[in-house]
Amino acid sequence: MTSDLNRYSVTAISSLGHDLIDGPIGRAKRQWEAVVDTLPQLICMVDGSGRIVRTNRTFERWGLGGVKSAIGEDFHQRLHPYCADPDCYLLQHVDMVRMANFATPANGLRVYDEQLLRYLRIHLSSLNQTGQRLGGENRFSLFVAEDVTCRAGLDRKASASEEKLQLLVDSVSDLIVQHSSDGTMHYLSPASITLLGSTPQALLGVSLFDLMHENDRDVVATRMTHIPTGESVESNTFRLRRSVGDWRWVEARTHAMVNTAGNYEYVTIMRDVSDRRREEELALEYSKKLEHEVAKKTSQLTMVIDMLKQQIEENDRDWISLEALGRRYTSLVENTLTGIYLQQKNRVVFCNQRFAEIFGYSRDEISGMELRQLLDDVNEPSALPDVDQGAYITMSSANVVEGWRYDGTSIWMKMSQSRLENDEGVFVLGNVIDVSEQVRVQDELRRSEKAMHHLSSLLIAAQENERKRIANELHDGIGQRLSAIKFSVEDVLRSAEGSASAQSLERLHDVVGKIRDTIEEVRRTSMDLRPSILDDLGLVATINWFCREFSAMFPWIEVIKSVGIDEEALREELKVVIFRVMQEAFHNISKHASAQRVDISLGLRGDMLVLKIHDDGCGFILDAKVLNGPSLGLKSMRERAELMGGAFDIRSGFGTGTRIEVCWPGTVAFSEFN
């Protein structure tokens, strides 16, 4: 932003502000001041007596105090409140009174301000209007200060002594190379060790172009060696080969000069940008776009006066569009199927037609009512989270609450709320949806599930009773008859010995063996259906018997059991469930697990009865296909456990075995739980 542009723009807007404070030009003036406030430079308008008339927001950003409080203050005392130096540059070289009295523009002044701790580039100009007589009443001057601390640091280093410059060259991480037009390097800074992996002495006489990647060499060499004397080429990006053979991306700047012998030489400064090359490219692209936008906005500021009429017309069109948008919003609110309301200080201050229809009131009747008259469990504004002024909070999760219609009938609503705060106060914005039919269907579904649960319980009980009946018939009926047949055949065999042929006796012995096997098979079938030991001796004896039988049938599987319960207090129906879960789990282990060890434990954990069965088999992947597949084993175990109020959990994986854990609360497991 040049000082001429500042002088023209500020003067133009100030003059128009006196003529039309509240008119179009006044609004344009305020827009221009907002733009000036965004500039990074410190801009102060000072009158002929050295007092501040106006300044931009940079005054606050530099820590000099408020913009409004600065108006009318002495310019020097405001910028240097603690300055007692008679040689202060603001007094010696930045004489704002002189600039106001004499319309002579001052050249840029570059100083280090010890009070502001900044390097500044200062531009001074008079704001006397063209054609105004010098010494007139309307005398102002403009002070524009730009923070050039970074550039000033470079200037100080550039003006240092040759010894300090050499020390700087030796210490910087950038590689500095002096070379001829054919690339032969005559000097390298010590940074070559880090960047190229070689000492400067090892690279003297080597062509810089030979170290470049072949795809970059021609273009970079042309740009480096076709530079007029005293000029430079910047932002050359190419690859250099290190001594170990890998490549590094560097960004180079080359400067052309003539040495004392009258020959062209080049100084190239290279920086390693391998790790951030893409970030630099993106930053450069963004910087170019930003510079383009700044230039575009700057050019537009000079035409602000001519554009006022167009701005007014656009504002009128925007107002028409806003009214149309308001009508569309009103139509949306009124025609939605969701009831919408606005609550302030516990009372409804607005609702749409759908909200009134849901509760059977008119909108006028609902206005002013407390929401608790319509709905239960309503959050008050004080219970909502605090938010900043003018901010919104997203809708809360929907809650289902009960409400009442005008005729007293009960309805169920899904309700969401949010806190809204604006210039008119704090509000609660909410919406409700009538879900009475959904609640009714869910109640019916819960009753159906309860009935199905009861039916399943009866079915399992009937199944156990049928198993018990069949087991008793097999044991007491068929088993005893087979035993009688066996005894009869053995009597015949003893009577026939000595008189019958050896072949007949052998056949009778075979018949006795088959009958004995059949009796054993009937006994096993009876025990599988319903082991009589469970009814006669109890669960603990049944578990011990079952583990012995399993070990006898599968001797390669070691069974480790641990039972620690008071069986007398255990509910009878739960004993059957525990046995069936154990029976099904051991059946799956013998059939699928390829296990060598099974651990089973039954005991208390806190107030819970816990059954755990763990094998070291091959395991399997638990997924929906397994859990919901055609196999009834897992489903049967889970259903039996849950019907008795338990929680069934199974965990498995390839190579980790399978772990089954069933937990029953003590109040469910024991008839009297202490």
Side-chain angles (χ1 to χ4, degrees), residues 99-265:
M99 289 304 303
N101 292 330
F102 304 100
T104 303
N107 294 328
L109 177 64
R110 192 163 180 167
V111 298
Y112 177 72
D113 194 309
E114 295 182 353
Q115 297 260 344
L116 300 179
L117 300 179
R118 301 170 187 267
Y119 281 93
L120 303 178
R121 178 183 290 167
I122 299 172
H123 294 275
L124 307 173
S125 60
S126 173
L127 292 182
N128 289 325
Q129 297 184 6
T130 304
Q132 183 177 352
R133 177 177 59 83
L134 290 177
E137 295 298 329
N138 187 20
R139 294 177 304 200
F140 299 97
S141 57
L142 188 66
F143 173 89
V144 180
E146 180 183 4
D147 188 351
V148 293
T149 303
C150 294
R151 283 177 283 178
L154 295 177
D155 292 341
R156 285 201 316 275
K157 293 178 183 179
S159 62
S161 66
E162 182 177 355
E163 180 180 354
K164 292 182 180 180
L165 178 60
Q166 185 61 42
L167 180 61
L168 176 64
V169 169
D170 291 344
S171 62
V172 294
S173 59
D174 294 347
L175 174 60
I176 302 174
V177 178
Q178 182 179 357
H179 59 90
S180 58
S181 59
D182 61 356
T184 302
M185 293 182 285
H186 306 299
Y187 169 80
L188 295 93
S189 66
S192 65
I193 299 175
T194 302
L195 182 59
L196 300 177
S198 299
T199 63
Q201 292 78 10
L203 294 173
L204 292 177
V206 178
S207 175
L208 175 62
F209 303 143
D210 291 342
L211 300 179
M212 293 182 187
H213 194 280
E214 59 182 5
N215 294 337
D216 305 330
R217 184 180 301 146
D218 294 340
V219 175
V220 175
T222 301
R223 293 191 65 188
M224 280 187 175
T225 56
H226 291 75
I227 311 171
T229 304
E231 296 187 8
S232 62
V233 59
E234 299 183 1
S235 298
N236 265 330
T237 305
F238 52 88
R239 287 159 285 185
L240 282 179
R241 185 179 68 252
R242 289 166 47 85
S243 61
V244 294
D246 61 330
W247 297 90
R248 302 293 291 178
W249 279 98
V250 298
E251 185 178 71
R253 180 179 62 191
T254 302
H255 181 77
M257 63 182 181
V258 177
N259 59 20
T260 56
N263 299 321
Y264 275 97
E265 283 190 349

Side-chain angles (χ1 to χ4, degrees), residues 189-353:
S189 66
S192 65
I193 299 175
T194 302
L195 182 59
L196 300 177
S198 299
T199 63
Q201 292 78 10
L203 294 173
L204 292 177
V206 178
S207 175
L208 175 62
F209 303 143
D210 291 342
L211 300 179
M212 293 182 187
H213 194 280
E214 59 182 5
N215 294 337
D216 305 330
R217 184 180 301 146
D218 294 340
V219 175
V220 175
T222 301
R223 293 191 65 188
M224 280 187 175
T225 56
H226 291 75
I227 311 171
T229 304
E231 296 187 8
S232 62
V233 59
E234 299 183 1
S235 298
N236 265 330
T237 305
F238 52 88
R239 287 159 285 185
L240 282 179
R241 185 179 68 252
R242 289 166 47 85
S243 61
V244 294
D246 61 330
W247 297 90
R248 302 293 291 178
W249 279 98
V250 298
E251 185 178 71
R253 180 179 62 191
T254 302
H255 181 77
M257 63 182 181
V258 177
N259 59 20
T260 56
N263 299 321
Y264 275 97
E265 283 190 349
Y266 303 89
V267 175
T268 300
I269 303 175
M270 290 173 281
R271 174 172 296 174
D272 188 349
V273 294
S274 300
D275 296 333
R276 58 182 180 85
R277 179 170 177 265
R278 175 157 182 80
E279 288 78 6
E280 292 292 338
E281 290 176 353
L282 293 176
L284 181 61
E285 180 181 356
Y286 176 77
S287 177
K288 289 181 179 179
K289 290 181 180 179
L290 184 62
E291 289 177 0
H292 175 72
E293 290 297 323
V294 170
K296 181 179 178 181
K297 295 300 181 182
T298 302
S299 63
Q300 290 175 350
L301 290 176
T302 59
M303 300 182 293
V304 64
I305 302 299
D306 297 333
M307 294 174 59
L308 287 175
K309 183 177 181 179
Q310 180 180 354
Q311 292 280 350
I312 294 173
E313 293 175 354
E314 291 178 357
N315 290 339
D316 291 341
R317 289 195 297 269
D318 290 342
W319 178 255
I320 295 173
S321 299
L322 184 60
E323 288 183 336
L325 181 61
R327 289 192 296 270
R328 288 196 296 269
Y329 172 76
T330 301
S331 176
L332 176 63
V333 170
E334 294 300 330
N335 295 310
T336 182
L337 297 178
T338 301
I340 301 173
Y341 68 91
L342 200 62
Q343 178 186 0
Q344 186 180 38
K345 295 182 179 179
N346 304 329
R347 295 189 179 276
V348 178
V349 297
F350 167 80
C351 71
N352 64 351
Q353 185 61 34

Side-chain angles (χ1 to χ4, degrees), residues 485-497 499-500 504-505 508 512:
I485 293 171
K486 173 178 170 290
F487 292 146
S488 299
V489 174
E490 288 176 343
D491 288 342
V492 172
L493 182 60
R494 284 192 295 269
S495 300
E497 286 181 355
S499 60
S504 298
L505 293 175
L508 285 174
V512 172

